Amino acid sequence: MTSNIFSQLRLDGTVVTEPAATAYAAADFGGVVGNRPLAVLRAGSITDIRTVLPVAAANDIPVVPRGHGHSGLGQAQALDGLVVDLTDMVEIHDLTEDSVTVDAGATWNSLLARTLQQGLTPRVLTDYLGTSVGGTLSAGGIGGTSHRYGVQTDNVISLDVVTADGLLRHCSPTERPDLFYAMLGGFGQCGIIVRATLPLMAAPERVRRIKIYYPTIEALITNQRNLLAEGRFDFLQGEILPTGDDWVFMLDAASNYSPPGGPDERALLSELGFTASRDKIEDLSYWEFATRLDETVTYLESTGEWHAPHPWANLLLPDAKIESFASKVMDGLEQADMGASGLILIYPISTAAFSTPLFRVPRGSTVYLVAGLRFAADTMKADEMVAANRRWYDTAVGLGGTSYPTGAIPFTSADWTRHLGTKQETLAEAKDRHDPLNLFPRRFAQ
Ligand SMILES: Cc1cc2nc3c(=O)[nH]c(=O)nc-3n(C[C@H](O)[C@H](O)[C@H](O)COP(=O)(O)OP(=O)(O)OC[C@H]3O[C@@H](n4cnc5c(N)ncnc54)[C@H](O)[C@@H]3O)c2cc1C
């Protein structure tokens, strides 16, 4: 039946319905849930998407857009629906001296490779660049420069969106702002981003990266807070890493430069307790730094962990509560709770540059990202980890925290309603206007 509906259409891409061809769209990086779609559109053009959406709407087939499927708990899956896969739409258009227009299916990796040819870079890059532009703009896009520039969704000039009626709509802060702000961080609930225009800035040539390993979480947090206030580093992150039978707390900070000038290393290290025998300084090209996770990915592919379940928990905590949250989370935490290569990201972000309404953050001028990157050996362990994520989330909410809902924290529609808070009404209005029939499944309570 479904194959008949779509087989009549003349498309640049293809619609596949055979279970073997659609299986990948029932999976994601999280590897915890698997919702089979009826069909997958491998979109070959904007016209394909414009053609297919009204047909899906006329046949009551729900539609979910998909980038590179790095979600943690089925965010890009469509049970008995149509997945619109954008990963063949990867062209980079209109690269100027301060902006770029890019197809939503392009990876950040391919975008950066192109902009660097002109000596330019997006302001915020996620740690891993294998995600799609449309995928991170539908979520938020946090990175080590977010303390300065906000998240990726705070750095968007305009979007081209196909809405449920099959129309292509250009939107920006001044043109159809309701649609623009419903798409950024909106997890594809009001349409499909097909292109984005992003601001660019001059890319540094090189990066001096400093890793300092502290014995306590308090030492890490104190130094991170001071560094955030001072603005000493261009890039500011941190990690909680297993040491075998315990944990170590790593500051990960970097300063950009372009030769012949170089960073003042003494000033960078001042009062951070750097110890040459324990800590590390690396000097990298900007590209090497931006793609620093590639080596880890190759390692995880070799151990099989890249393809195992990843029940990740991404949370944002108020600055005033981070010590309390960290001590609750670390109390009795064992490496087995995180998996063989598991770790926790922890770093502060100033909220001054945040402006995306649907990117929900705790109150205050600083928030802490806490990302529990768990690796499960099997599905039973994965289920345990998902349950543990939910406990972390409940603890975070009790402390005024929020989730960054890309990972594997089970979220009911009531959780979405709480998550969206005062912004639910605005999203609901945009949804009523641009997707009144809920072609794109509504996540929050009606
Ligand atoms: C190894 C790894 C590292 C990561 N590091 C970071 C990080 O440093 N910072 C960070 O912020 N996140 C990070 N993430 C999370 C990641 O950025 C998000 O999960 C992102 O949404 C994934 O992009 P994707 O292309 O895989 O999207 P998908 O998983 O395919 O989709 C994500 C969501 O966006 C919707 N969507 C996708 N494309 C579109 C579109 N074109 N139009 C409308 N809606 C769309 C989907 O329906 C879904 O709801 C990481 C994830 C992994 C696996």
Tab-separated table of all heavy atoms in Angstrom, residues 29 64-72 75-76 86 104 126-128 130-136 138-143 183 187-188 191-194 293 306 312 347 404 406 443, ligand 1:
chain	number	residue	atom	x	y	z
A	29	PHE	N	22.240	6.157	16.957
A	29	PHE	CA	23.486	6.004	17.722
A	29	PHE	C	23.200	5.478	19.122
A	29	PHE	O	23.979	4.710	19.679
A	29	PHE	CB	24.202	7.360	17.793
A	29	PHE	CG	25.547	7.301	18.448
A	29	PHE	CD1	26.655	6.847	17.755
A	29	PHE	CD2	25.713	7.699	19.776
A	29	PHE	CE1	27.905	6.788	18.366
A	29	PHE	CE2	26.955	7.645	20.389
A	29	PHE	CZ	28.062	7.186	19.682
A	64	VAL	N	8.979	12.110	9.953
A	64	VAL	CA	10.064	12.552	10.840
A	64	VAL	C	11.324	12.776	9.999
A	64	VAL	O	11.744	11.885	9.265
A	64	VAL	CB	10.357	11.490	11.941
A	64	VAL	CG1	11.562	11.899	12.777
A	64	VAL	CG2	9.139	11.302	12.842
A	65	PRO	N	11.900	13.997	10.086
A	65	PRO	CA	13.153	14.225	9.371
A	65	PRO	C	14.320	13.525	10.070
A	65	PRO	O	14.306	13.350	11.291
A	65	PRO	CB	13.344	15.741	9.432
A	65	PRO	CG	12.324	16.282	10.371
A	65	PRO	CD	11.404	15.192	10.787
A	66	ARG	N	15.320	13.167	9.270
A	66	ARG	CA	16.496	12.492	9.832
A	66	ARG	C	17.756	13.035	9.165
A	66	ARG	O	17.818	13.187	7.945
A	66	ARG	CB	16.381	10.993	9.572
A	66	ARG	CG	17.603	10.193	10.013
A	66	ARG	CD	17.430	8.716	9.642
A	66	ARG	NE	18.705	8.019	9.721
A	66	ARG	CZ	19.061	7.218	10.715
A	66	ARG	NH1	18.240	6.976	11.701
A	66	ARG	NH2	20.247	6.651	10.726
A	67	GLY	N	18.737	13.331	10.022
A	67	GLY	CA	20.056	13.699	9.514
A	67	GLY	C	20.933	12.459	9.556
A	67	GLY	O	20.672	11.464	8.880
A	68	HIS	N	21.944	12.496	10.428
A	68	HIS	CA	22.843	11.334	10.491
A	68	HIS	C	22.504	10.361	11.615
A	68	HIS	O	23.318	9.497	11.942
A	68	HIS	CB	24.299	11.792	10.531
A	68	HIS	CG	24.789	12.121	9.159
A	68	HIS	ND1	25.264	11.178	8.285
A	68	HIS	CD2	24.808	13.291	8.484
A	68	HIS	CE1	25.567	11.747	7.135
A	68	HIS	NE2	25.303	13.039	7.236
A	69	GLY	N	21.337	10.518	12.241
A	69	GLY	CA	20.858	9.513	13.186
A	69	GLY	C	21.715	9.366	14.430
A	69	GLY	O	21.813	8.282	14.996
A	70	HIS	N	22.299	10.472	14.911
A	70	HIS	CA	23.119	10.382	16.122
A	70	HIS	C	22.319	10.640	17.387
A	70	HIS	O	22.890	10.849	18.459
A	70	HIS	CB	24.320	11.328	16.028
A	70	HIS	CG	25.362	10.808	15.094
A	70	HIS	ND1	25.414	11.161	13.778
A	70	HIS	CD2	26.355	9.911	15.283
A	70	HIS	CE1	26.401	10.517	13.190
A	70	HIS	NE2	26.990	9.745	14.077
A	71	SER	N	21.019	10.618	17.265
A	71	SER	CA	20.160	10.775	18.442
A	71	SER	C	20.289	9.554	19.341
A	71	SER	O	20.744	8.487	18.908
A	71	SER	CB	18.708	10.905	18.003
A	71	SER	OG	18.538	12.085	17.267
A	72	GLY	N	19.820	9.726	20.595
A	72	GLY	CA	20.007	8.660	21.575
A	72	GLY	C	18.803	7.781	21.844
A	72	GLY	O	18.935	6.676	22.371
A	75	GLN	N	14.772	9.899	18.492
A	75	GLN	CA	14.287	11.244	18.120
A	75	GLN	C	14.104	11.379	16.600
A	75	GLN	O	13.293	12.191	16.150
A	75	GLN	CB	15.264	12.330	18.611
A	75	GLN	CG	15.290	12.572	20.102
A	75	GLN	CD	16.253	11.662	20.847
A	75	GLN	OE1	16.569	10.562	20.399
A	75	GLN	NE2	16.701	12.093	22.006
A	76	ALA	N	14.868	10.609	15.823
A	76	ALA	CA	14.761	10.718	14.351
A	76	ALA	C	14.073	9.489	13.751
A	76	ALA	O	14.223	9.209	12.569
A	76	ALA	CB	16.148	10.915	13.745
A	86	LEU	N	17.865	13.243	4.959
A	86	LEU	CA	18.426	14.382	4.212
A	86	LEU	C	19.892	14.206	3.842
A	86	LEU	O	20.513	15.137	3.337
A	86	LEU	CB	18.260	15.659	5.051
A	86	LEU	CG	16.811	16.122	5.077
A	86	LEU	CD1	16.234	16.026	6.470
A	86	LEU	CD2	16.681	17.520	4.519
A	104	ALA	N	20.877	21.047	4.485
A	104	ALA	CA	20.742	20.555	5.866
A	104	ALA	C	21.387	19.186	6.104
A	104	ALA	O	21.725	18.847	7.230
A	104	ALA	CB	19.264	20.484	6.232
A	126	THR	N	30.345	21.402	17.323
A	126	THR	CA	30.154	20.339	18.307
A	126	THR	C	31.447	19.527	18.382
A	126	THR	O	32.298	19.618	17.500
A	126	THR	CB	28.973	19.447	17.889
A	126	THR	OG1	29.132	19.104	16.510
A	126	THR	CG2	27.657	20.171	18.076
A	127	ASP	N	31.573	18.716	19.438
A	127	ASP	CA	32.822	17.970	19.612
A	127	ASP	C	33.038	16.988	18.472
A	127	ASP	O	34.166	16.718	18.080
A	127	ASP	CB	32.796	17.198	20.938
A	127	ASP	CG	32.672	18.136	22.115
A	127	ASP	OD1	32.933	19.341	21.939
A	127	ASP	OD2	32.297	17.682	23.209
A	128	TYR	N	31.947	16.429	18.000
A	128	TYR	CA	32.003	15.439	16.920
A	128	TYR	C	31.355	16.088	15.712
A	128	TYR	O	30.277	16.691	15.832
A	128	TYR	CB	31.232	14.195	17.378
A	128	TYR	CG	30.951	13.178	16.317
A	128	TYR	CD1	31.993	12.461	15.736
A	128	TYR	CD2	29.656	12.917	15.893
A	128	TYR	CE1	31.740	11.511	14.766
A	128	TYR	CE2	29.396	11.972	14.929
A	128	TYR	CZ	30.441	11.272	14.370
A	128	TYR	OH	30.185	10.336	13.402
A	130	GLY	N	30.473	14.629	12.743
A	130	GLY	CA	29.774	13.733	11.822
A	130	GLY	C	28.259	13.903	11.849
A	130	GLY	O	27.536	13.154	11.189
A	131	THR	N	27.774	14.878	12.603
A	131	THR	CA	26.337	15.155	12.659
A	131	THR	C	25.966	16.078	11.491
A	131	THR	O	26.834	16.721	10.903
A	131	THR	CB	25.998	15.847	13.990
A	131	THR	OG1	26.920	16.928	14.161
A	131	THR	CG2	26.134	14.908	15.152
A	132	SER	N	24.672	16.150	11.186
A	132	SER	CA	24.263	17.013	10.069
A	132	SER	C	23.948	18.419	10.575
A	132	SER	O	23.600	18.610	11.750
A	132	SER	CB	23.034	16.423	9.377
A	132	SER	OG	21.885	16.551	10.199
A	133	VAL	N	24.036	19.365	9.671
A	133	VAL	CA	23.705	20.755	10.019
A	133	VAL	C	22.252	20.834	10.501
A	133	VAL	O	21.949	21.407	11.545
A	133	VAL	CB	23.966	21.679	8.804
A	133	VAL	CG1	23.387	23.060	9.030
A	133	VAL	CG2	25.468	21.756	8.524
A	134	GLY	N	21.342	20.185	9.754
A	134	GLY	CA	19.924	20.214	10.150
A	134	GLY	C	19.688	19.513	11.474
A	134	GLY	O	18.834	19.920	12.266
A	135	GLY	N	20.452	18.447	11.731
A	135	GLY	CA	20.282	17.674	12.972
A	135	GLY	C	20.681	18.452	14.206
A	135	GLY	O	19.966	18.444	15.217
A	136	THR	N	21.807	19.168	14.162
A	136	THR	CA	22.198	19.899	15.383
A	136	THR	C	21.394	21.201	15.511
A	136	THR	O	21.108	21.630	16.624
A	136	THR	CB	23.710	20.194	15.459
A	136	THR	OG1	24.054	21.110	14.445
A	136	THR	CG2	24.551	18.942	15.345
A	138	SER	N	18.365	21.431	14.866
A	138	SER	CA	17.062	21.020	15.418
A	138	SER	C	17.180	20.685	16.900
A	138	SER	O	16.165	20.445	17.562
A	138	SER	CB	16.541	19.795	14.664
A	138	SER	OG	16.402	20.122	13.308
A	139	ALA	N	18.411	20.653	17.415
A	139	ALA	CA	18.630	20.297	18.822
A	139	ALA	C	19.195	21.480	19.618
A	139	ALA	O	18.652	21.863	20.654
A	139	ALA	CB	19.589	19.103	18.897
A	140	GLY	N	20.287	22.053	19.150
A	140	GLY	CA	20.948	23.142	19.881
A	140	GLY	C	22.369	23.312	19.341
A	140	GLY	O	22.687	24.258	18.663
A	141	GLY	N	23.221	22.330	19.675
A	141	GLY	CA	24.597	22.381	19.172
A	141	GLY	C	25.529	23.089	20.142
A	141	GLY	O	25.853	24.265	19.979
A	142	ILE	N	25.960	22.327	21.155
A	142	ILE	CA	26.827	22.901	22.202
A	142	ILE	C	28.273	22.542	21.893
A	142	ILE	O	28.562	21.426	21.454
A	142	ILE	CB	26.477	22.293	23.583
A	142	ILE	CG1	24.967	22.368	23.844
A	142	ILE	CG2	27.243	22.982	24.702
A	142	ILE	CD1	24.534	21.626	25.107
A	143	GLY	N	29.176	23.451	22.151
A	143	GLY	CA	30.596	23.159	21.941
A	143	GLY	C	31.467	23.949	22.901
A	143	GLY	O	30.968	24.730	23.718
A	183	MET	N	11.765	26.114	14.586
A	183	MET	CA	12.635	25.100	13.985
A	183	MET	C	13.927	24.935	14.780
A	183	MET	O	14.424	23.816	14.936
A	183	MET	CB	12.976	25.473	12.530
A	183	MET	CG	11.796	25.470	11.573
A	183	MET	SD	10.798	23.966	11.595
A	183	MET	CE	12.003	22.722	11.194
A	187	PHE	N	13.413	20.068	17.180
A	187	PHE	CA	13.386	18.629	16.883
A	187	PHE	C	12.386	18.290	15.774
A	187	PHE	O	11.645	17.305	15.867
A	187	PHE	CB	13.115	17.809	18.163
A	187	PHE	CG	14.280	17.831	19.106
A	187	PHE	CD1	14.377	18.820	20.079
A	187	PHE	CD2	15.307	16.904	19.005
A	187	PHE	CE1	15.479	18.885	20.933
A	187	PHE	CE2	16.411	16.952	19.849
A	187	PHE	CZ	16.495	17.934	20.824
A	188	GLY	N	12.356	19.122	14.739
A	188	GLY	CA	11.588	18.802	13.535
A	188	GLY	C	10.095	18.687	13.737
A	188	GLY	O	9.449	17.910	13.046
A	191	GLY	N	8.358	21.329	10.658
A	191	GLY	CA	8.767	21.329	9.257
A	191	GLY	C	10.121	20.656	9.113
A	191	GLY	O	10.637	20.053	10.063
A	192	ILE	N	10.673	20.772	7.919
A	192	ILE	CA	11.990	20.175	7.645
A	192	ILE	C	12.928	21.283	7.174
A	192	ILE	O	12.637	21.979	6.185
A	192	ILE	CB	11.872	19.069	6.570
A	192	ILE	CG1	10.938	17.956	7.088
A	192	ILE	CG2	13.251	18.512	6.229
A	192	ILE	CD1	10.792	16.778	6.143
A	193	ILE	N	14.010	21.466	7.904
A	193	ILE	CA	15.025	22.438	7.480
A	193	ILE	C	15.723	21.839	6.258
A	193	ILE	O	16.223	20.705	6.328
A	193	ILE	CB	16.080	22.669	8.590
A	193	ILE	CG1	15.424	23.190	9.877
A	193	ILE	CG2	17.176	23.622	8.114
A	193	ILE	CD1	16.366	23.196	11.090
A	194	VAL	N	15.718	22.581	5.155
A	194	VAL	CA	16.424	22.052	3.980
A	194	VAL	C	17.721	22.809	3.716
A	194	VAL	O	18.644	22.279	3.110
A	194	VAL	CB	15.519	22.030	2.721
A	194	VAL	CG1	14.445	20.966	2.880
A	194	VAL	CG2	14.900	23.383	2.439
A	293	LEU	N	38.142	14.220	17.737
A	293	LEU	CA	37.476	12.970	18.153
A	293	LEU	C	37.643	11.839	17.141
A	293	LEU	O	37.314	10.693	17.443
A	293	LEU	CB	35.985	13.218	18.394
A	293	LEU	CG	35.585	13.794	19.740
A	293	LEU	CD1	34.099	13.568	19.979
A	293	LEU	CD2	36.370	13.189	20.889
A	306	TRP	N	31.642	1.582	19.135
A	306	TRP	CA	30.974	2.620	18.354
A	306	TRP	C	29.596	2.142	17.900
A	306	TRP	O	28.675	2.929	17.700
A	306	TRP	CB	31.838	3.028	17.152
A	306	TRP	CG	31.307	4.211	16.406
A	306	TRP	CD1	30.754	4.215	15.161
A	306	TRP	CD2	31.280	5.580	16.855
A	306	TRP	NE1	30.373	5.494	14.806
A	306	TRP	CE2	30.693	6.346	15.820
A	306	TRP	CE3	31.707	6.220	18.028
A	306	TRP	CZ2	30.515	7.724	15.923
A	306	TRP	CZ3	31.526	7.599	18.123
A	306	TRP	CH2	30.929	8.330	17.095
A	312	TRP	N	23.213	7.891	26.420
A	312	TRP	CA	23.858	9.117	26.907
A	312	TRP	C	22.819	10.011	27.591
A	312	TRP	O	21.656	10.063	27.189
A	312	TRP	CB	24.516	9.877	25.747
A	312	TRP	CG	25.757	9.181	25.234
A	312	TRP	CD1	26.223	7.961	25.622
A	312	TRP	CD2	26.663	9.656	24.229
A	312	TRP	NE1	27.376	7.648	24.932
A	312	TRP	CE2	27.668	8.667	24.071
A	312	TRP	CE3	26.739	10.812	23.447
A	312	TRP	CZ2	28.723	8.816	23.163
A	312	TRP	CZ3	27.785	10.957	22.548
A	312	TRP	CH2	28.766	9.971	22.420
A	347	TYR	N	31.264	21.051	31.989
A	347	TYR	CA	31.878	22.375	31.805
A	347	TYR	C	30.852	23.499	31.891
A	347	TYR	O	29.669	23.300	31.609
A	347	TYR	CB	32.702	22.454	30.517
A	347	TYR	CG	32.010	22.165	29.213
A	347	TYR	CD1	31.374	23.188	28.487
A	347	TYR	CD2	32.037	20.899	28.653
A	347	TYR	CE1	30.786	22.936	27.250
A	347	TYR	CE2	31.458	20.641	27.419
A	347	TYR	CZ	30.823	21.659	26.734
A	347	TYR	OH	30.241	21.407	25.512
A	404	TYR	N	19.185	18.399	27.833
A	404	TYR	CA	19.451	18.726	26.424
A	404	TYR	C	19.011	17.463	25.698
A	404	TYR	O	19.742	16.473	25.662
A	404	TYR	CB	20.941	19.028	26.260
A	404	TYR	CG	21.398	19.220	24.833
A	404	TYR	CD1	20.670	19.993	23.940
A	404	TYR	CD2	22.575	18.647	24.379
A	404	TYR	CE1	21.096	20.176	22.636
A	404	TYR	CE2	23.016	18.828	23.075
A	404	TYR	CZ	22.271	19.595	22.216
A	404	TYR	OH	22.695	19.781	20.919
A	406	THR	N	18.845	15.336	23.404
A	406	THR	CA	19.344	14.589	22.248
A	406	THR	C	19.699	13.156	22.622
A	406	THR	O	19.890	12.321	21.756
A	406	THR	CB	20.623	15.242	21.689
A	406	THR	OG1	21.597	15.255	22.736
A	406	THR	CG2	20.380	16.640	21.218
A	443	ARG	N	5.491	16.302	20.286
A	443	ARG	CA	6.103	15.638	21.444
A	443	ARG	C	5.493	16.092	22.758
A	443	ARG	O	5.437	15.350	23.723
A	443	ARG	CB	7.607	15.908	21.482
A	443	ARG	CG	8.323	15.267	20.315
A	443	ARG	CD	9.709	15.845	20.136
A	443	ARG	NE	10.197	15.597	18.788
A	443	ARG	CZ	10.922	14.559	18.422
A	443	ARG	NH1	11.267	13.657	19.303
A	443	ARG	NH2	11.328	14.417	17.189
B	1	LIG	C1	29.585	11.072	19.138
B	1	LIG	C2	28.604	12.190	19.374
B	1	LIG	C3	29.074	13.412	19.816
B	1	LIG	C4	28.187	14.458	20.020
B	1	LIG	N1	28.676	15.666	20.444
B	1	LIG	C5	27.840	16.691	20.610
B	1	LIG	C6	28.337	17.967	21.005
B	1	LIG	O1	29.518	18.162	21.210
B	1	LIG	N2	27.428	18.963	21.155
B	1	LIG	C7	26.098	18.798	20.904
B	1	LIG	O2	25.345	19.739	21.013
B	1	LIG	N3	25.614	17.604	20.549
B	1	LIG	C8	26.450	16.557	20.402
B	1	LIG	N4	25.943	15.345	20.034
B	1	LIG	C9	24.485	15.209	19.858
B	1	LIG	C10	24.110	15.546	18.429
B	1	LIG	O3	24.559	16.832	18.084
B	1	LIG	C11	22.594	15.543	18.250
B	1	LIG	O4	22.075	14.293	18.579
B	1	LIG	C12	22.199	15.911	16.815
B	1	LIG	O5	20.804	16.127	16.778
B	1	LIG	C13	22.582	14.794	15.877
B	1	LIG	O6	22.564	15.232	14.535
B	1	LIG	P1	22.105	14.189	13.431
B	1	LIG	O7	22.345	14.778	12.093
B	1	LIG	O8	22.682	12.869	13.693
B	1	LIG	O9	20.539	14.252	13.749
B	1	LIG	P2	19.417	13.092	13.854
B	1	LIG	O10	19.729	12.181	14.989
B	1	LIG	O11	19.247	12.473	12.519
B	1	LIG	O12	18.146	13.997	14.208
B	1	LIG	C14	18.110	14.706	15.418
B	1	LIG	C15	16.756	15.407	15.578
B	1	LIG	O13	16.656	16.465	14.639
B	1	LIG	C16	15.568	16.249	13.733
B	1	LIG	N5	16.092	16.637	12.424
B	1	LIG	C17	17.171	16.120	11.788
B	1	LIG	N6	17.364	16.766	10.642
B	1	LIG	C18	16.404	17.712	10.536
B	1	LIG	C19	16.063	18.694	9.574
B	1	LIG	N7	16.786	18.858	8.471
B	1	LIG	N8	14.985	19.483	9.786
B	1	LIG	C20	14.246	19.352	10.915
B	1	LIG	N9	14.508	18.428	11.867
B	1	LIG	C21	15.586	17.635	11.684
B	1	LIG	C22	15.236	14.788	13.847
B	1	LIG	O14	13.868	14.523	13.549
B	1	LIG	C23	15.556	14.510	15.307
B	1	LIG	O15	14.485	14.949	16.131
B	1	LIG	C24	26.792	14.277	19.811
B	1	LIG	C25	26.317	13.027	19.399
B	1	LIG	C26	27.210	12.007	19.180
B	1	LIG	C27	26.687	10.673	18.739
